[in-house]
Amino acid sequence: MTVYIDPPAWPGHGRLWSHLVSDVSYAELHHFAAGLGVPRRAFERDHYDIPAHRYADAVRAGAIEVSSREVVRLLHGAGLRRRKGAGRTGRQM
């Protein structure tokens, strides 16, 4: 299982966030996130939003640190990228 995380650089709700993604499947991503105790509501289209204070936890659990550009490249390469407005089906997977 390989999942990836970008640096916490995305502002929202008074804190910074990272994106946690898989380059294999959403099932793999959900499994990894559940192991970290990340609630399913943190899944948005094609990634989990991870607050900065949980970044090190994700890395310790095995997430590979990559740039934000690399996150997008990995999602596109795996055919898992979902842009805003592409529907909300990702939340149900």
Side-chain angles (χ1 to χ4, degrees):
M1 174 184 303
T2 304
V3 297
Y4 303 88
I5 191 165
D6 64 0
W10 305 97
H13 307 286
R15 51 175 92 165
L16 293 176
W17 300 82
S18 293
H19 299 120
L20 184 71
V21 303
S22 168
D23 66 347
V24 174
S25 70
Y26 297 121
E28 175 184 64
L29 180 59
H30 294 315
H31 179 77
F32 187 90
L36 283 175
V38 177
R40 188 69 175 255
R41 70 180 177 271
F43 182 69
E44 186 174 334
R45 292 183 322 274
D46 55 12
H47 67 275
Y48 275 88
D49 290 323
I50 305 295
H53 72 274
R54 296 295 315 274
Y55 181 85
D57 296 336
V59 172
R60 273 193 297 277
I64 305 298
E65 298 171 277
V66 296
S67 69
S68 297
R69 258 190 186 166
E70 185 68 2
V71 161
V72 173
R73 191 193 70 71
L74 288 162
L75 287 171
H76 277 291
L80 298 174
R81 179 71 170 133
R82 289 196 175 124
R83 294 185 163 284
K84 285 184 181 179
R88 305 195 93 202
T89 59
R91 289 192 181 273
Q92 299 165 359
M93 296 182 137

